[in-house]
Amino acid sequence: MTLALADPVHFASEEDHVGLTLFPGDGDISSPDVSWSCIRFNAFRERLAQAEGFNLPEMWGFGGDRPWSNISTTLKPLLDHPDVGGDDLSTADCAAMLPRLQAIIGEWQEEPDDPLLQQHIQDAQQLTVVLRFCVDESVELIFL
């Protein structure tokens, strides 16, 4: 079975809908979280990388050979991270990423309307809720 995604150019089989969730490491399942399919998370991070002035597929670990040491962005802990697993992001990482992510949301809201962009804005807004919670509660951000 083939499923249409928010981006009409991409199609995925049901097997491609393996997902991931980012959530605070406070042990409370009622805390805010944000979830994506792996395909949608990749598209989200590609758009974030574009906002930061580089192409994610050119980066080491994403199909390219450009080293991460050449990239300077507070979003690096989110962008240069395995989809699932890897190290938790510290409260300091969350605090550093939050203002930049909020600025990017504002930039995206000024762009022409398209359904995939709107989904990325909603995802980014939900991620800011989770990051703010991690900062306020002094807990790490977990990828699962």
Side-chain angles (χ1 to χ4, degrees):
M1 175 177 187
T2 300
L3 304 170
L5 300 178
D7 180 353
V9 175
H10 291 96
F11 290 89
S13 68
E14 288 179 343
E15 295 82 34
D16 291 329
H17 282 277
V18 174
L20 70 150
T21 301
L22 279 60
F23 60 94
D26 64 347
D28 184 350
I29 61 170
S30 67
S31 295
D33 62 30
V34 59
S35 297
W36 290 271
S37 70
C38 289
I39 291 170
R40 201 170 98 207
F41 185 58
N42 185 62
F44 176 70
R45 290 199 295 183
E46 283 185 7
R47 191 176 293 255
L48 284 175
Q50 285 177 334
E52 294 297 76
F54 66 96
N55 292 317
L56 193 61
E58 295 175 356
M59 301 307 297
W60 185 87
F62 290 89
D65 58 5
R66 185 174 177 191
W68 283 95
S69 58
N70 293 345
I71 300 298
S72 177
T73 171
T74 58
L75 298 180
K76 191 172 174 180
L78 177 68
L79 297 172
D80 181 20
H81 195 281
D83 285 356
V84 178
D87 293 335
D88 299 336
L89 301 187
S90 70
T91 303
D93 289 335
C94 294
M97 290 188 298
L98 194 53
R100 182 61 187 134
L101 188 58
Q102 290 170 322
I104 289 171
I105 291 168
E107 293 167 13
W108 288 350
Q109 290 173 330
E110 298 296 319
E111 292 182 24
D113 191 30
D114 89 53
L116 185 57
L117 176 59
Q118 292 308 309
Q119 182 63 60
H120 289 161
I121 291 169
Q122 290 172 9
D123 291 341
Q125 290 170 331
Q126 183 61 35
L127 180 56
T128 63
V129 169
V130 176
L131 293 175
R132 170 63 52 208
F133 185 91
C134 288
V135 171
D136 291 347
E137 299 298 317
S138 298
V139 296
E140 66 281 350
L141 179 67
I142 298 174
F143 282 64
L144 182 65

